[in-house]
Amino acid sequence: MSGERLSLLIIGGYGTFGGRLARLLGDEPRLRLLIAGRSLEKADDFVADLRSPKDGSEGLGSSNLGATLQAVRFDRDGDLAEQLTRLRPDLVVDASGPFQSFGQDPYKVVRACIGLDIDYADLADSTGFVAAIGGLDAEAKAKGVFALSGLSSLPALSFAALDVMAPRFSRIDAVAAGIAPSAHVKIGLNVVRAIASYAGKPVSVLRQGRPAQADGLIEAMRVTIAPPGVAPLRSRNFLLVDAPDLALLPGRFAGLQSGFTGVGTEPQLLQRLLGLAAGLTRRKLLPSLTPFARLMQRASHGLAVGEHRGGMFVRLSGLDAAGKPLACGWHLIAEGDDGPFIPVTGVAALVRRLLGGVRPENGARPATGELQLADFEAEFRRFSIASGIRTESEGAGLPLYHRVLGSAFERLPPAISAMHAGGHSGGARTASGRARVELGSGWLARIVARLIGFPAAGEDVPLTVRFIADGEKEIWTRDFGDKSFHSLQFEGKGRDRHLLAEVFGPFRVLVALVPEGEKLRLVVRGWSFCGIPLPLFLAPGGETYEEAREGRFHFHVEIGGRLTGLVVRYTGWLVVE
């Protein structure tokens, strides 16, 4: 360490990921951050922005708060030894790229750091760059430094998730991982160039346990990202991308049969167009999509529609300890602009470990296994990021709501979990209580209420609810006094995976189950009429939740829409008989 502070040089420090790393570490007073790039003017502007007050608080790097910040010029094509000697960093983090385009001497920065006894880490996503850095292992060990490559979402975070799930398996046959960026996140040009470089070109994968070739941005798999207890992302196709995991997984899991890494962007229409363009490259009608990288970036920015949420998944399948089929998935969802911070959380965790006196073993290698999932999750707590594991085969024999919620079911208040603790098949239970029923006054609302069979309005209405489990479905019969209506509930499949589906007459509504303190919120995620999907913005809305209040189960159900206004609202309490 330089004096009392760890000196950290961030190459590409004002770029897409380097800038976020600086923001993430900028409040650490034990750091000296060197914000580096070819343009000293851009570095100066970035540092000035970091130092400026935000929301009435002092800027980072002020006399009272945060790291020491310094803008510096750094040219990776210049005299590296002279620049590094002058700047005297303890750790160099390369956050530039694309690493696929580093030319004939891709490791010159790494070798320069090793030669000057400087530790090194990077955010590389190039399969070749990350997999081959081990060629410098002996040199790094001889100089007493470490050089870690790929300390990003893929492969560092994905392998950390794999390490948590792997002990559940006696044999692992397939591994898949994917990233789903928010449509509203401004993707950096270097990221787009990296993807464009292999679009429609052969990507080395594992098929039936043997090396094979697949088409980049053409081969696809459909996944629904759904951490337990969080409204899932919309189901989407993930297109094959060339990530370091594909080369590193066979060495991690002996006997692995297949591997996949993909990206699932929104809107999916834009991704389909990208896949069609990749097909032109595969047919050799275009030599490469790289010349169109800037156009692709502008298209992604111009078509920023949909939810401002992103996510990631890592999935394993194979056999459990008893030799039975098992599938297990780690899911993550980030809200708003928090997603792009995920690729730099690994470096942030590494730096905090260094500040705590814990350093990696000397040597040069891929960054898989260097950090535990808990290290990443500690960084996630600063953001609106939710993650968790779903074990798919454990759903058999569990109640409906337990299957949909996964491990989040265990977090429900007892009054709510008891209401949904019925058996898997052939079981029946009854709950009784009182309710208040309100009906909408509009003519269309009255027609819908009559069509479905909702009860008449009333105060303090006696209520009985019968739940009958029929295989994987539940039939709910609600008796409001002498008026009865039915609905059918079941777990969504395919595109509707991890959602609760409820059928009222000709309508089917898809609902996300979201625990929130003492409440279980039911959030509408889709609907259809006679099997025909309808626009979500016209879906029945209103605040609907179950709540534990003084140990008793309470409910608040509100159904209405833009066209109908309020259709029905019924609130009250129930006790399981």
Side-chain angles (χ1 to χ4, degrees):
M1 294 177 64
S2 302
E4 296 180 355
R5 294 175 183 258
L6 178 73
S7 181
L8 172 59
L9 172 68
I10 306 176
I11 302 175
Y14 51 80
T16 301
F17 295 116
R20 287 186 171 91
L21 177 61
R23 294 183 187 279
L24 193 54
L25 294 174
D27 60 354
E28 175 52 68
R30 295 172 292 173
L31 284 179
R32 171 177 172 248
L33 293 181
L34 303 175
I35 309 301
R38 286 191 173 94
S39 171
L40 182 59
E41 181 180 0
K42 290 181 179 180
D44 272 326
D45 289 343
F46 180 82
V47 168
D49 180 67
L50 278 185
R51 286 175 171 159
S52 62
K54 303 290 193 303
D55 301 323
S57 61
E58 290 185 277
L60 299 178
S62 70
S63 58
N64 297 322
L65 175 67
T68 297
L69 303 173
Q70 181 181 348
V72 300
R73 186 179 185 278
F74 188 91
D75 185 355
R76 65 184 315 117
D77 295 324
D79 188 336
L80 296 176
E82 184 277 328
Q83 295 176 88
L84 291 172
T85 301
R86 171 169 44 84
L87 296 172
R88 297 179 293 108
D90 299 303
L91 171 66
V92 169
V93 173
D94 195 344
S96 61
F99 288 79
Q100 291 88 343
S101 64
F102 277 179
Q104 297 298 316
D105 190 6
Y107 298 107
K108 59 186 177 182
V109 173
V110 188
R111 287 188 290 100
C113 289
I114 293 174
L116 293 172
D117 303 336
I118 300 171
D119 292 319
Y120 169 90
D122 66 44
L123 300 174
D125 59 358
S126 165
T127 299
F129 187 94
V130 175
I133 196 172
L136 300 174
D137 186 53
E139 296 177 43
K141 287 179 177 176
K143 297 291 286 185
V145 298
F146 63 80
L148 304 177
S149 186
L151 201 63
S152 186
S153 303
L154 302 173
L157 175 54
S158 56
F159 269 67
L162 289 172
D163 288 341
V164 170
M165 295 184 288
R168 307 182 183 201
F169 291 80
S170 63
R171 189 186 80 195
I172 294 174
D173 297 326
V175 177
I179 296 173
S182 165
H184 297 270
V185 168
K186 305 301 183 184
I187 300 176
L189 183 58
N190 283 339
V191 175
V192 179
R193 283 174 175 158
I195 294 173
S197 68
Y198 51 75
K201 297 186 177 181
V203 173
S204 297
V205 297
L206 198 65
R207 293 291 181 268
Q208 298 181 341
R210 297 182 179 181
Q213 300 289 317
D215 298 316
L217 294 190
I218 295 178
E219 183 170 326
M221 70 179 297
R222 177 168 288 277
V223 176
T224 301
I225 296 179
V230 178
L233 295 184
R234 289 188 177 89
S235 178
R236 66 190 68 192
N237 273 324
F238 285 75
L239 300 183
L240 177 69
V241 296
D242 188 10
D245 300 53
L246 297 175
L248 301 175
L249 282 169
R252 173 65 175 84
F253 300 114
L256 187 69
Q257 296 297 298
S258 68
F260 178 91
T261 53
V263 61
T265 59
E266 286 285 343
Q268 287 272 281
L269 174 60
L270 179 61
Q271 181 167 278
R272 285 194 287 272
L273 292 175
L274 183 59
L276 290 174
L280 297 177
T281 302
R282 181 180 63 178
R283 296 180 180 87
K284 302 189 184 303
L285 298 177
L286 284 175
S288 171
L289 293 188
T290 302
F292 304 98
R294 193 173 294 277
L295 177 62
M296 292 162 57
Q297 183 196 33
R298 289 174 179 170
S300 70
H301 293 177
L303 295 175
V305 295
E307 292 183 307
H308 196 3
R309 312 169 80 211
M312 178 177 173
F313 79 92
V314 181
R315 188 176 185 273
L316 289 170
S317 60
L319 300 179
D320 64 12
K324 297 180 179 179
L326 175 64
C328 191
W330 174 81
H331 299 248
L332 174 149
I333 287 180
E335 306 291 343
D337 292 320
D338 290 350
F341 281 92
I342 293 172
V344 301
T345 53
V347 174
L350 172 68
V351 170
R352 298 191 204 283
R353 287 169 64 90
L354 289 172
L355 292 171
V358 180
R359 61 176 280 118
E361 293 183 4
N362 295 328
R365 58 193 177 276
T368 54
E370 292 299 326
L371 296 171
Q372 297 180 350
L373 186 58
D375 296 316
F376 288 94
E377 290 172 338
E379 297 297 326
F380 294 164
R381 294 188 190 108
R382 303 181 62 171
F383 303 101
S384 295
I385 294 176
S387 62
I389 293 173
R390 285 184 177 272
T391 305
E392 297 174 12
S393 61
E394 289 182 350
L398 294 177
L400 173 61
Y401 277 52
H402 199 158
R403 297 199 305 273
V404 175
L405 280 166
S407 60
F409 186 84
E410 300 163 6
R411 303 199 304 265
L412 294 178
I416 298 179
S417 60
M419 189 61 61
H420 300 292
H424 176 61
S425 63
R429 62 197 190 282
T430 302
S432 58
R434 314 293 289 188
R436 179 176 184 266
V437 182
E438 302 172 67
L439 292 178
S441 58
W443 65 270
L444 186 55
R446 292 196 298 271
I447 292 175
V448 172
R450 189 175 300 113
L451 185 64
I452 295 176
F454 287 136
E459 299 284 343
D460 197 30
V461 179
L463 170 64
T464 300
V465 182
R466 294 190 302 276
F467 312 85
I468 299 177
D470 181 13
E472 295 184 346
K473 300 177 181 179
E474 283 192 358
I475 302 170
W476 288 37
T477 302
R478 305 166 180 87
D479 293 323
F480 291 84
D482 58 357
K483 178 68 173 179
S484 177
F485 80 96
H486 310 267
S487 71
L488 179 68
Q489 295 189 1
F490 53 91
E491 184 179 5
K493 305 295 183 182
R495 292 174 180 265
D496 305 331
R497 190 176 180 83
H498 306 308
L499 294 172
L500 178 73
E502 185 163 18
V503 176
F504 300 90
F507 294 96
R508 187 180 74 157
V509 180
L510 296 168
V511 174
L513 303 180
V514 183
E516 185 180 285
E518 294 295 300
K519 293 181 179 180
L520 175 63
R521 292 196 176 276
L522 287 77
V523 182
V524 175
R525 302 288 291 174
W527 71 312
S528 61
F529 177 75
C530 294
I532 302 172
L534 299 175
L536 182 59
F537 75 94
L538 292 177
E543 189 174 24
T544 299
Y545 59 85
E546 300 171 351
E547 182 179 22
R549 197 184 307 161
E550 297 179 350
R552 176 184 281 181
F553 177 89
H554 287 252
F555 57 87
H556 180 111
V557 178
E558 192 171 286
I559 299 175
R562 292 173 181 266
L563 299 179
T564 63
L566 177 68
V567 175
V568 67
R569 180 188 298 115
Y570 51 94
T571 61
W573 56 269
L574 288 168
V575 175
V576 177
E577 295 180 0

